Coordinates of all heavy atoms in Angstrom, one line a residue:
P49 N 98.8 110.1 81.0 CA 98.6 110.1 79.5 C 99.8 110.7 78.8 O 100.2 110.4 77.7 CB 97.3 110.8 79.3 CG 96.9 111.4 80.5 CD 97.7 110.8 81.6
K50 N 100.4 111.8 79.4 CA 101.5 112.5 78.8 C 102.8 112.2 79.7 O 102.7 112.3 80.9 CB 101.3 114.0 78.8 CG 100.1 114.3 77.9 CD 99.8 115.8 77.9 CE 98.6 116.2 77.2 NZ 98.3 117.6 77.3
P51 N 103.9 111.9 79.1 CA 105.1 111.6 79.9 C 105.5 112.6 80.9 O 105.9 112.4 82.0 CB 106.2 111.3 78.9 CG 105.5 111.0 77.6 CD 104.2 111.7 77.7
E52 N 105.3 113.9 80.5 CA 105.8 115.0 81.4 C 104.9 115.1 82.7 O 105.3 115.6 83.7 CB 105.8 116.3 80.7 CG 104.4 116.8 80.2 CD 104.1 116.4 78.8 OE1 104.8 115.5 78.3 OE2 103.1 116.8 78.2
Q53 N 103.7 114.5 82.7 CA 102.8 114.5 83.8 C 103.4 113.5 84.9 O 103.0 113.6 86.1 CB 101.4 114.1 83.5 CG 100.7 115.1 82.6 CD 99.4 114.7 82.1 OE1 99.2 113.5 81.8 NE2 98.4 115.6 82.0
G54 N 104.2 112.7 84.6 CA 104.8 111.7 85.5 C 105.8 112.4 86.5 O 106.3 111.7 87.4
F55 N 106.1 113.6 86.3 CA 107.1 114.3 87.1 C 106.5 115.3 88.0 O 107.2 116.2 88.6 CB 108.2 115.0 86.2 CG 108.9 114.0 85.4 CD1 108.7 113.9 84.0 CD2 109.9 113.2 86.0 CE1 109.4 113.0 83.3 CE2 110.6 112.3 85.2 CZ 110.4 112.2 83.9
Q56 N 105.2 115.2 88.3 CA 104.6 116.1 89.3 C 105.1 115.7 90.7 O 105.3 114.6 91.0 CB 103.0 115.9 89.2 CG 102.5 116.3 87.9 CD 101.0 116.1 87.8 OE1 100.4 115.5 88.7 NE2 100.4 116.5 86.7
Q57 N 105.3 116.8 91.4 CA 105.8 116.6 92.8 C 104.7 116.5 93.8 O 103.6 116.9 93.6 CB 106.8 117.7 93.1 CG 107.9 117.9 92.1 CD 108.7 116.7 91.8 OE1 109.1 116.0 92.7 NE2 109.0 116.4 90.6
G58 N 105.1 116.0 95.0 CA 104.1 115.9 96.1 C 104.6 116.7 97.3 O 105.4 117.7 97.1
G59 N 104.2 116.3 98.4 CA 104.6 117.0 99.6 C 104.0 116.2 100.8 O 103.4 115.2 100.7
A60 N 104.3 116.8 102.0 CA 103.8 116.2 103.3 C 103.3 117.3 104.2 O 103.9 118.4 104.2 CB 104.9 115.4 103.9
F61 N 102.2 117.1 104.9 CA 101.7 118.1 105.8 C 101.3 117.5 107.1 O 100.9 116.3 107.1 CB 100.4 118.7 105.2 CG 100.7 119.4 103.9 CD1 100.7 118.8 102.7 CD2 101.1 120.8 103.9 CE1 101.0 119.4 101.5 CE2 101.4 121.4 102.7 CZ 101.3 120.7 101.5
V62 N 101.3 118.2 108.2 CA 100.8 117.8 109.5 C 99.9 118.9 109.9 O 100.3 120.1 110.0 CB 102.0 117.6 110.5 CG1 101.4 117.3 111.9 CG2 102.9 116.5 110.1

Side-chain angles (χ1 to χ4, degrees):
K50 298 177 186 173
E52 63 271 11
Q53 291 172 326
F55 296 106
Q56 294 176 357
Q57 306 305 316
F61 299 88
V62 175

